Amino acid sequence: GARWGTKLWPAARWAAFLRLLGEHHSELRPVVVGAPGEEGLVDEMRAAGASHVESFVGKLPIWGSGALMERAAGVVTMDSAPLHLAIAVGAPTVSFFGPTDPAKVGPREVGHRVLRRELDCLGCYKRHCPLPDRVCVPETTAEEALAALEEVLRATPTPESTG
């Protein structure tokens, strides 16, 4: 979730991404973290076909979410608190950006991938889009997100490869 509606990736896209993840990477166990009150987003994801996702939404304190992310192969998120928490604990990330500028508030280290559309209005910093069909974040496809995650996972050393 995110406090800005303009940062959200639709639940149907999350569900499609999670289905693809399961098809291509059955060795990975998808889990969702989030703040209390965001449980409805997980319900929407499950209703859209991501019934296999395990939810910790509203169940973990922030340090618990950080500990979970620290052990994650990768974290896929919007530009929101979970992105910055994942970066802080050293997890590789894929993040969706739209109304905010990743050059100012995004990840800068290696092991992170930003997904965004090239639109004139990017970086507007608006919490509510005045356009009738907001496309900056929702247009990113599940396939693009999976490809970005695979790229990040290939570039991230595993414990076995670091000695």
Side-chain angles (χ1 to χ4, degrees), residues 76-99:
V76 180
T77 183
M78 285 95 42
D79 170 30
S80 59
L83 169 63
H84 304 290
L85 182 58
I87 292 167
V89 299
T93 67
V94 172
S95 53
F96 306 108
F97 274 78

Side-chain angles (χ1 to χ4, degrees), residues 7-142:
K7 292 183 179 186
L8 295 174
W9 201 38
R13 296 282 176 147
W14 279 111
F17 167 75
L18 291 165
R19 284 192 310 274
L20 281 174
L21 183 66
E23 291 169 14
H24 294 272
H25 298 281
S26 59
E27 76 280 8
L28 297 177
R29 180 176 144 217
V31 298
V32 180
V33 297
E38 294 178 336
E39 296 85 357
L41 293 171
V42 177
D43 293 340
E44 287 180 52
M45 285 183 228
R46 287 180 173 152
S51 58
H52 64 291
V53 69
E54 187 171 355
S55 176
F56 290 96
V57 173
K59 298 176 183 173
L60 297 174
I62 194 162
W63 60 265
S65 293
L68 191 62
M69 290 179 190
E70 187 174 27
R71 297 178 54 203
V75 175
V76 180
T77 183
M78 285 95 42
D79 170 30
S80 59
L83 169 63
H84 304 290
L85 182 58
I87 292 167
V89 299
T93 67
V94 172
S95 53
F96 306 108
F97 274 78
T100 53
D101 184 351
K104 293 179 182 177
V105 297
R108 290 174 176 76
E109 301 83 12
V110 175
H112 306 283
R113 176 82 194 285
V114 170
L115 295 176
R116 71 187 314 217
R117 289 285 177 247
E118 293 304 320
L119 302 168
D120 292 341
C121 57
L122 287 180
C124 67
Y125 284 85
K126 292 185 178 175
R127 292 176 181 248
H128 304 284
C129 183
L131 301 175
D133 225 7
R134 181 179 65 88
V135 295
C136 60
V137 176
E139 281 292 308
T140 302
T141 67

